[in-house]
Amino acid sequence: MRNNRFFVTGYLVFSLILVVFFLFILIDIWWALNVPKTGPIGNGPPKMSAYAWIRLGTTGSLGLINFILALVLYRQLPPHSEEDPHRTEENGTDSKAG
């Protein structure tokens, strides 16, 4: 049976990157909404529509659910077997790789 440890770990790392990217987007939106724009540039801070808030909330919640699912899948992985012939005790790497 094939071990999916590589794919689950990649899924976890990619989910974490997406959550961090979403946090940077939130910081950028917060910054853009709180910088005053008066004079010839505009009249006060821009307003976000309800549709934009719904899209932002849905994207954030889906990213968080995705990250939680990746954590659950990672924690369900079985530990490395002691009688695995491809692992060495000293460095934990593949003994056939060189």
Side-chain angles (χ1 to χ4, degrees), residues 9-72:
T9 305
Y11 179 45
L12 179 65
V13 169
F14 186 70
S15 296
L16 183 63
I17 290 171
L18 287 179
V19 167
V20 170
F21 182 70
F22 181 73
L23 289 176
F24 281 131
I25 290 174
L26 280 180
I27 291 171
D28 182 53
I29 291 172
W30 177 78
W31 183 271
L33 289 176
N34 288 319
V35 172
K37 294 177 177 59
T38 57
I41 297 173
N43 278 337
K47 304 287 188 256
M48 282 184 66
S49 65
Y51 176 70
W53 281 111
I54 290 171
R55 267 187 25 206
L56 191 64
T58 304
T59 305
S61 60
L62 285 176
L64 191 60
I65 290 170
N66 192 21
F67 180 67
I68 292 170
L69 178 65
L71 276 176
V72 167

